[in-house]
Coordinates of all heavy atoms in Angstrom, one line a residue:
L1 N 124.2 105.2 106.7 CA 123.7 104.4 105.6 C 123.2 103.1 106.0 O 122.2 102.6 105.6 CB 124.9 104.2 104.6 CG 125.1 105.4 103.6 CD1 126.4 105.3 102.9 CD2 124.0 105.5 102.6
L2 N 124.0 102.4 106.9 CA 123.6 101.1 107.4 C 122.3 101.2 108.2 O 121.4 100.4 107.9 CB 124.7 100.6 108.3 CG 124.5 99.2 109.0 CD1 124.5 98.1 107.9 CD2 125.5 98.9 110.1
L3 N 122.2 102.1 109.1 CA 121.0 102.2 109.9 C 119.8 102.6 109.0 O 118.6 102.1 109.2 CB 121.1 103.1 111.1 CG 122.1 102.6 112.1 CD1 122.4 103.7 113.2 CD2 121.6 101.4 112.8
G4 N 120.0 103.5 108.1 CA 119.0 103.9 107.2 C 118.5 102.8 106.3 O 117.2 102.6 106.1
G5 N 119.4 102.0 105.8 CA 119.0 100.8 105.0 C 118.2 99.8 105.9 O 117.2 99.1 105.4
W6 N 118.6 99.6 107.1 CA 117.9 98.7 108.0 C 116.5 99.3 108.2 O 115.6 98.5 108.3 CB 118.7 98.6 109.3 CG 118.3 97.5 110.2 CD1 117.4 96.5 110.0 CD2 118.9 97.2 111.5 NE1 117.3 95.7 111.0 CE2 118.2 96.1 112.0 CE3 119.8 97.8 112.3 CZ2 118.5 95.5 113.2 CZ3 120.1 97.3 113.5 CH2 119.4 96.1 114.0
L7 N 116.4 100.5 108.4 CA 115.0 101.1 108.6 C 114.1 100.8 107.4 O 113.0 100.5 107.5 CB 115.1 102.6 108.8 CG 115.6 103.1 110.2 CD1 115.8 104.6 110.2 CD2 114.5 102.7 111.2
V8 N 114.7 100.9 106.2 CA 113.9 100.6 105.0 C 113.5 99.2 105.0 O 112.3 98.9 104.8 CB 114.7 100.9 103.7 CG1 114.0 100.4 102.4 CG2 115.0 102.4 103.5
Q9 N 114.3 98.3 105.4 CA 114.0 96.8 105.5 C 112.9 96.6 106.6 O 111.9 95.9 106.4 CB 115.2 96.0 105.8 CG 116.2 96.0 104.7 CD 115.6 95.5 103.4 OE1 114.9 94.5 103.3 NE2 116.0 96.2 102.3
L10 N 113.0 97.3 107.7 CA 112.1 97.1 108.8 C 110.8 97.7 108.5 O 109.7 97.4 109.1 CB 112.7 97.7 110.1 CG 113.9 96.9 110.7 CD1 114.5 97.7 111.9 CD2 113.5 95.6 111.1
S11 N 110.7 98.7 107.6 CA 109.5 99.4 107.3 C 108.5 98.5 106.6 O 107.3 98.8 106.5 CB 109.7 100.7 106.5 OG 109.9 100.4 105.1
D12 N 108.9 97.3 106.0 CA 108.1 96.4 105.3 C 106.9 95.9 106.2 O 105.8 95.6 105.7 CB 108.8 95.2 104.8 CG 109.7 95.5 103.6 OD1 109.4 96.6 103.0 OD2 110.6 94.8 103.3
D13 N 107.2 95.8 107.6 CA 106.2 95.3 108.5 C 105.3 96.5 109.0 O 104.5 96.3 110.0 CB 106.9 94.6 109.6 CG 107.7 93.4 109.1 OD1 107.3 92.8 108.1 OD2 108.6 93.0 109.8
R14 N 105.5 97.7 108.6 CA 104.7 98.8 109.1 C 103.6 99.3 108.1 O 103.7 99.0 106.9 CB 105.7 99.9 109.4 CG 106.7 99.6 110.4 CD 107.7 100.7 110.7 NE 107.1 102.0 111.1 CZ 106.7 102.2 112.4 NH1 107.0 101.3 113.3 NH2 106.2 103.3 112.7
R15 N 102.7 100.0 108.7 CA 101.6 100.5 107.8 C 102.1 101.5 106.8 O 101.7 101.5 105.6 CB 100.5 101.1 108.7 CG 99.3 101.6 108.0 CD 98.2 102.2 108.9 NE 98.7 103.6 109.1 CZ 99.0 104.2 110.3 NH1 98.9 103.5 111.4 NH2 99.4 105.4 110.4
D16 N 103.1 102.3 107.2 CA 103.6 103.3 106.3 C 104.9 102.8 105.7 O 106.0 103.5 105.7 CB 103.8 104.6 107.0 CG 104.7 104.5 108.3 OD1 104.9 103.3 108.7 OD2 105.1 105.5 108.8
A17 N 104.9 101.6 105.1 CA 106.2 101.0 104.5 C 106.7 101.9 103.3 O 105.9 102.6 102.7 CB 105.8 99.7 103.9
Y18 N 108.0 101.9 103.2 CA 108.6 102.6 102.1 C 109.7 101.8 101.5 O 110.1 100.7 102.2 CB 109.2 104.0 102.6 CG 109.9 104.0 103.9 CD1 111.2 103.8 104.0 CD2 109.2 104.2 105.1 CE1 111.9 103.8 105.2 CE2 109.8 104.2 106.3 CZ 111.2 104.0 106.3 OH 111.9 104.0 107.5
S19 N 110.3 102.2 100.4 CA 111.3 101.3 99.8 C 112.5 102.2 99.3 O 112.5 103.4 99.3 CB 110.7 100.5 98.7 OG 110.5 101.4 97.6
F20 N 113.5 101.5 98.8 CA 114.7 102.2 98.2 C 114.3 102.9 96.9 O 115.0 103.7 96.5 CB 115.8 101.2 97.9 CG 116.5 100.7 99.2 CD1 116.3 99.4 99.6 CD2 117.3 101.5 99.9 CE1 116.8 98.9 100.8 CE2 117.9 101.1 101.1 CZ 117.7 99.7 101.5
G21 N 113.2 102.6 96.4 CA 112.7 103.2 95.2 C 112.0 104.6 95.4 O 111.7 105.4 94.5
D22 N 111.7 104.8 96.7 CA 111.0 106.2 97.0 C 112.1 107.2 96.8 O 113.2 107.1 97.3 CB 110.5 106.1 98.4 CG 109.3 105.2 98.6 OD1 108.6 104.9 97.6 OD2 109.1 104.7 99.7
G23 N 111.7 108.4 96.3 CA 112.6 109.5 96.0 C 113.3 110.0 97.2 O 114.6 110.2 97.1
W24 N 112.7 110.1 98.3 CA 113.3 110.7 99.5 C 114.3 109.7 100.1 O 115.3 110.1 100.8 CB 112.3 111.1 100.5 CG 111.5 110.0 101.1 CD1 110.3 109.5 100.6 CD2 111.7 109.3 102.3 NE1 109.8 108.5 101.3 CE2 110.7 108.3 102.4 CE3 112.7 109.3 103.2 CZ2 110.6 107.4 103.5 CZ3 112.7 108.4 104.3 CH2 111.6 107.5 104.4
V25 N 114.1 108.4 99.8 CA 115.1 107.4 100.3 C 116.3 107.3 99.4 O 117.5 107.4 99.9 CB 114.4 106.0 100.3 CG1 115.4 104.9 100.8 CG2 113.2 106.0 101.3

């Protein structure tokens, strides 16, 4: 959970950003 949440936060700086609102997340 911790590492997954961190990945979501780090994805903001990536071209394929995702968020906690995405269904798969």
Side-chain angles (χ1 to χ4, degrees):
L1 280 167
L2 177 71
L3 293 171
W6 195 5
L7 284 171
V8 171
Q9 295 300 318
L10 292 172
S11 80
D12 287 343
D13 299 333
R14 299 178 58 83
R15 187 181 80 241
D16 56 346
Y18 44 90
S19 73
F20 289 106
D22 292 336
W24 64 274
V25 174

